[in-house]
Amino acid sequence: MAKPSSSTEGFFQDLPTLLPQVTLQEHPSASNKPGTTNFKDTSDDVALARILALHLPSSETKPIRTIHQLSRRALDPEVLAHATDAEINHPVLRSHTTFGQENRVDPLWTANGWKALKLIGQQEGIITTAYDTNITTWNRRIQSFAMNFVWSSTGTMTGCPMAMTDGAAKLLLSHRDDEDEGQVGRARVLKESYARLISSDASKVWTSGQWMTERAGGSDVSGTETVARHLTDEELATAASQGRDLDAHGLPLGPWTIDGFKWFSSATDSEMSMLLAQTPKGLSLFYAPMRRKLVQADTNASELNGIRIQRLKNKVGTKALPTAELELKGMRAWLVGQEGKGVKEISTILNLTRLYTASGAVAGWSRGMQVCRAYSKVRKVRGGLLQDNKLHLRWMAAETVKYHAAVHFSFFGVALLGASEQGWEDVVKNTNASNLIPKDPTQSANLARLLTPVIKSQTSLASVLGVRECMESLGGVGYCENNEDGGLLNLGKVFRDILVSPIWEGTISVMAEDVVRVISDKRVAGGDILEFVFATWVHGILDLCKSQFSAESGLVRKRLEVLISLTRGCGKEELLFRGRDILGHLEAIACACILMFDACTDGDEVAVEITRRWIRSKALDKSEQQIQCNWEEEAAMDKKIFLAQHDSGVNRAAAKL
């Protein structure tokens, strides 16, 4: 008779061992070839490794080493404990004191784990790297976003304030040399704030919020009801005489006062924020410190700067992130840029945060795929391991193909951004991507303008669907809140967090409207950006890759013809009607080109097969979606695609749960 199981006896599933996403190994012949390294064949996330090999010069190992190190810190048990703490202990609003007085000093409480994770990301230099002018020979944005990519899932939504901080830094950098222009002290404040936003010094570094959403407007900022008024000289003098003219850091408060209500404000625990408000000349952009000096004996004391946190949002996910409704009354602020030009100014932040939203979502998908690979190697099913189950491998290989397309697409947008900031000659010419990224800065900028909203919408949505598949692949354990063992198996948390990605920074429909706006703009590429920018870029890539991908190139050309035909002669209303279809076409074509180009850099058999499967899965003619071949050979390739198996025999570093 069989012995019954109990809570202490019987079958116990082995814990999966998650491998770091990026592993840089010295080449076996490094003694003969100084500086030769290998990471494409040793990294667990093959897609990310290929992206780094594509967009970073082979002669530079420093950025890879930085990513290598952070990918290990992201799996450190002590760091994972912070992530679990932040996930379990959600922000709390203490709006009143014991005896009912409004608490304007410290109403918001966040977990120690949340604070620790924010600081780790800052000290690792994720933002600092993007603005390090000493880095001149490689794309700083590729390094910075890759660092954030391997940190993101462990960072537990600290990537949200990180994104807005980066956006605010980029905006303030463009105004760092502005004169006071009637706002005495503004130049000093902008310079000091910029320096703090890009710092990695724990004693100096800041994060920033971004407040746009209101009850009336949502994504339509034209409905903004927050109002800004310039204080009179008498009002400013009175505030100064009462000691109410400095922020919490001793910097002067701005001469504008803002009243209104912001309905959805993330990163409420930041030191500053950028926000939109109406002025006599229209919607304008303002910089405001979160806190101001409190007039009392203790000179270090401070209070909220005319801000009342009405309530914290109870969201489906992003639980660790303090998101609030804010009432503004007498919030002191500085006008940034021209009055009435606020939408144009804040677009600098939006274009950047949209890339963060996309890459952050795909980073969650990457963690899901990490877990799936590790789980498949230890999970026993019907007497064998899941990694040998052909049905499972077929499914997961298809998901891996989608993942590769999404991560390549998101980093293509990052590469375009970095090239625009540093110059093609300095950071693209010396890489394998020299024929992928347009050399002409106007062409590159127009391509980025067209594709950034596509990247944001399509990769965000694909990531949500992808993580759901990862959850299912774990069976019942995928549906549980697994905060044990560092929380690495809690894919439910990852799923909930990235569910917001298709909504943040504009929904998919808003992104479609943005793309239609670009397509319809007569000032861009002679009024035909699809023909003169996108199609030109596509044909250039296809011409380079057609010898390797003859049949697939034909399929991409057909889809491009359909897209051009679909949009030619259409008025704006019809384009809006077809907006989501246009997004789908642009994604399918762009991802096909990027995957083809990458596969052609080394002819890797797995990269080639992933490219072919992606393109055929997107073929408009269903009869062309499948190629008849030996099913056993295809099953063997499924395993290579999903498990990223290499024959190099390199011993990859791992973090045990």
Side-chain angles (χ1 to χ4, degrees):
M1 184 175 180
K3 185 179 180 180
S5 61
S6 70
S7 62
T8 57
E9 293 182 304
F11 172 77
F12 287 94
Q13 175 66 54
D14 291 338
L15 285 172
T17 299
L18 262 65
L19 299 172
Q21 289 161 281
V22 175
T23 293
L24 178 63
Q25 292 280 358
E26 294 298 330
H27 194 278
S29 59
S31 58
N32 299 321
K33 299 179 180 180
T36 303
T37 55
N38 180 21
F39 61 92
K40 278 206 294 186
D41 292 337
T42 55
S43 296
D44 187 53
D45 191 330
V46 173
L48 180 58
R50 293 191 64 85
I51 286 165
L52 298 177
L54 180 65
H55 292 292
L56 294 175
S58 58
S59 59
E60 301 286 358
T61 60
K62 184 177 179 180
I64 307 295
R65 291 188 187 282
T66 303
I67 300 161
H68 165 102
Q69 292 164 3
L70 188 52
S71 68
R72 277 146 184 76
R73 193 170 187 187
L75 298 179
D76 185 293
E78 292 185 6
V79 176
L80 290 170
H82 294 315
T84 301
D85 177 53
E87 176 63 16
I88 293 175
N89 298 301
H90 302 157
V92 174
L93 178 61
R94 304 176 298 190
S95 59
H96 293 81
T97 66
T98 301
F99 294 104
Q101 185 178 12
E102 183 181 352
N103 181 6
R104 300 184 60 82
V105 176
D106 58 347
L108 178 63
W109 177 91
T110 56
N112 290 331
W114 168 260
K115 296 172 185 175
L117 293 171
K118 282 181 63 176
L119 188 58
I120 290 172
Q122 292 167 325
Q123 291 179 315
E124 287 286 345
I126 294 174
I127 301 299
T128 305
T129 297
Y131 297 89
D132 186 350
T133 55
N134 292 316
I135 299 175
T136 59
T137 57
W138 69 81
N139 193 319
R140 297 189 295 256
R141 286 295 181 182
I142 290 291
Q143 180 186 351
S144 174
F145 269 77
M147 291 170 68
N148 190 54
F149 193 86
V150 300
W151 171 248
S152 182
S153 293
T154 295
T156 312
M157 294 314 303
T158 56
C160 173
M162 190 96 58
M164 292 184 285
T165 297
D166 197 343
K170 185 172 175 63
L171 178 66
L172 293 186
L173 177 61
S174 67
H175 291 284
R176 192 174 52 165
D177 296 326
D178 288 1
E179 301 295 333
D180 284 349
E181 299 174 354
Q183 300 183 80
V184 179
R186 185 181 68 169
R188 175 193 167 198
V189 170
L190 296 187
K191 285 184 174 65
E192 173 73 14
S193 300
Y194 170 75
R196 287 178 176 269
L197 290 174
I198 68 168
S199 176
S200 58
D201 184 338
S203 66
K204 298 179 180 178
V205 65
W206 286 359
T207 57
S208 177
Q210 170 196 312
W211 302 345
M212 292 175 55
T213 308
E214 299 193 7
R215 290 173 298 203
S219 297
D220 181 7
V221 295
S222 64
T224 297
E225 297 176 324
T226 299
V227 176
R229 176 179 67 85
H230 198 291
L231 293 169
T232 65
D233 291 342
E234 182 179 356
E235 288 173 317
L236 290 170
T238 299
S241 67
Q242 296 174 347
R244 295 187 289 107
D245 59 343
L246 297 177
D247 69 17
H249 300 274
L251 296 171
L253 292 171
W256 291 79
T257 181
I258 299 179
D259 299 306
F261 192 86
K262 296 296 183 181
W263 187 75
F264 200 96
S265 305
S266 293
T268 313
D269 57 338
S270 294
E271 285 77 16
M272 57 165 281
S273 185
M274 308 299 298
L275 68 155
L276 293 174
Q278 299 284 2
T279 70
K281 294 185 179 180
L283 203 56
S284 304
L285 180 66
F286 292 88
Y287 157 95
M290 281 295 298
R291 304 182 70 84
R292 61 193 179 199
K293 181 180 177 182
L294 187 61
V295 183
Q296 61 181 47
D298 184 354
T299 57
N300 293 321
S302 64
E303 64 178 357
L304 290 175
N305 175 29
I307 303 166
R308 184 170 72 86
I309 303 175
Q310 176 161 303
R311 65 172 174 171
L312 296 178
K313 294 291 192 181
N314 185 12
K315 302 157 291 180
V316 172
T318 68
K319 297 287 190 179
L321 174 68
T323 306
E325 296 177 7
L326 304 177
E327 185 178 30
L328 312 179
K329 285 191 176 181
M331 182 183 201
R332 294 283 294 274
W334 301 92
L335 174 68
V336 178
Q338 295 183 24
E339 187 178 348
K341 302 292 184 180
V343 175
K344 180 181 179 181
E345 291 286 351
I346 208 164
S347 65
T348 298
I349 299 178
L350 286 176
N351 289 331
L352 189 51
T353 54
R354 284 173 177 173
L355 287 177
Y356 267 95
T357 301
S359 64
V362 184
W365 194 358
S366 176
R367 173 60 64 83
M369 295 303 293
Q370 273 184 289
V371 173
C372 287
R373 284 191 293 270
Y375 186 73
S376 296
K377 296 173 184 178
V378 298
R379 177 61 176 168
K380 295 177 181 178
V381 178
R382 297 183 182 88
L385 292 174
L386 196 56
Q387 68 173 3
D388 297 317
N389 183 294
K390 290 180 173 56
L391 175 61
H392 178 74
L393 291 173
R394 184 71 167 161
W395 172 30
M396 285 293 102
E399 291 305 306
T400 303
V401 169
K402 298 174 190 175
Y403 168 72
H404 274 245
V407 69
H408 267 284
F409 198 19
S410 63
F411 272 92
F412 179 69
V414 174
L416 289 172
L417 172 64
S420 71
E421 292 178 340
Q422 293 175 262
W424 187 93
E425 291 284 343
D426 290 334
V427 300
V428 179
K429 183 179 180 180
N430 59 343
T431 70
N432 290 329
S434 58
N435 290 320
L436 179 66
I437 306 298
K439 183 177 181 180
D440 180 77
T442 301
Q443 288 288 93
S444 183
N446 286 336
L447 190 61
R449 180 68 186 89
L450 173 69
L451 292 182
T452 296
V454 183
I455 293 169
K456 188 271 175 188
S457 62
Q458 302 305 96
T459 61
S460 294
L461 180 58
S463 297
V464 169
L465 300 176
V467 174
R468 193 219 68 80
E469 300 288 321
C470 293
M471 289 174 62
E472 181 187 343
S473 77
L474 269 63
V477 73
Y479 191 63
C480 294
E481 293 288 346
N482 305 294
N483 287 316
E484 307 80 10
D485 308 305
L488 282 173
L489 293 186
N490 193 350
L491 293 189
K493 174 254 185 186
V494 176
F495 180 68
R496 290 195 308 274
D497 283 352
I498 68 169
L499 272 175
V500 75
S501 301
I503 299 172
W504 259 353
E505 307 305 310
T507 63
I508 295 173
S509 291
V510 170
M511 295 299 97
E513 290 175 356
D514 199 13
V515 168
V516 168
R517 191 177 300 114
V518 178
I519 293 174
S520 306
D521 194 335
K522 302 300 181 183
R523 300 166 298 178
V524 179
D528 197 345
I529 192 172
L530 290 181
E531 186 70 51
F532 297 129
V533 176
F534 185 66
T536 299
W537 174 75
V538 171
H539 286 306
I541 302 301
L542 295 181
D543 288 343
L544 290 171
C545 301
K546 62 185 179 183
S547 61
Q548 176 75 54
F549 295 102
S550 177
E552 289 77 19
S553 293
L555 295 178
V556 176
R557 291 185 195 277
K558 286 181 182 179
R559 186 147 197 163
L560 179 61
E561 291 171 3
V562 169
L563 172 62
I564 298 296
S565 176
L566 179 70
T567 57
R568 183 179 288 122
C570 289
K572 191 171 183 179
E573 288 302 313
E574 184 176 353
L575 289 173
L576 288 171
F577 170 75
R578 305 186 186 282
R580 289 192 174 223
D581 293 334
I582 293 172
L583 289 178
H585 285 303
L586 287 168
E587 175 201 19
I589 297 167
C591 288
C593 289
I594 299 165
L595 288 172
M596 275 194 290
F597 185 92
D598 172 65
C600 286
T601 60
D602 60 4
D604 178 81
E605 66 165 347
V606 177
V608 169
E609 181 64 15
I610 285 173
T611 301
R612 286 177 173 157
R613 291 189 182 193
W614 166 263
I615 294 173
R616 293 203 171 269
S617 73
K618 296 295 181 179
L620 296 174
D621 186 342
K622 302 298 183 183
S623 65
E624 296 176 319
Q625 290 187 352
Q626 295 291 332
I627 299 178
Q628 295 299 321
C629 60
N630 182 288
W631 74 268
E632 291 177 317
E633 292 179 359
E634 195 165 350
M637 179 57 72
D638 289 340
K639 191 168 187 176
K640 289 182 179 181
I641 290 173
F642 171 49
L643 294 179
Q645 292 181 329
H646 307 288
D647 299 325
S648 59
V650 175
N651 182 24
R652 290 177 285 179
K656 188 72 175 178
L657 285 175

